[in-house]
Amino acid sequence: MAGGISIHAVDVASGRPAQGLRVEIWRIGPDSSRIAEGRLGANGVLDHLIAQGVGVTAGEYEVLFHLGEFFGDGDGFLTVIPFRFRIKDVSEHFHLPLKFTRWGFSLFRGA
């Protein structure tokens, strides 16, 4: 797949995709703007046109994963996981797999 930003998240403690996890994607500076928002589907993937590259330009981005909401736990440990990265070549695809529990996470650029 050429271009775009895709998200896939799994709650590794339960072994299930993170269905319902709210995710925001922001383009950062010079004027910050949210370019995508949604909840992950049953497969743990964000179904949004940004995955096909719609609205993606060169620059810095931040993805926010709202884990506190996901767990419905106002006293939980993790609240929001931010992930900032830079896109220079908009023809490249940026896949961001998130693996998490209530207490920790792993997030990276996947293939």
Side-chain angles (χ1 to χ4, degrees):
M1 179 183 303
I5 301 168
S6 60
I7 306 291
H8 181 233
V10 175
D11 176 351
V12 294
S14 71
R16 296 185 190 156
Q19 181 176 9
L21 174 65
R22 185 166 68 96
V23 175
E24 297 177 78
I25 302 175
W26 291 77
R27 183 179 299 112
I28 305 297
D31 298 318
S32 294
S33 62
R34 184 172 56 205
I35 60 171
E37 180 178 21
R39 294 192 181 273
L40 303 187
N43 58 357
V45 172
L46 180 64
D47 183 17
H48 193 282
L49 291 175
I50 199 164
Q52 286 83 44
V54 175
V56 177
T57 60
E60 190 171 343
Y61 290 81
E62 180 174 60
V63 178
L64 301 175
F65 298 90
H66 294 271
L67 285 188
E69 280 179 20
F70 178 77
F71 287 117
D73 187 359
D75 294 327
F77 178 67
L78 295 172
T79 58
V80 177
I81 297 173
F83 186 69
R84 283 197 177 187
F85 60 98
R86 181 173 295 118
I87 294 177
K88 290 183 179 180
D89 181 354
V90 297
S91 70
E92 290 185 55
H93 186 79
F94 291 79
H95 180 63
L96 307 178
L98 169 66
K99 300 183 183 333
F100 66 92
T101 69
R102 288 182 174 274
W103 305 106
F105 64 93
S106 173
L107 180 59
F108 52 95
R109 180 180 178 192

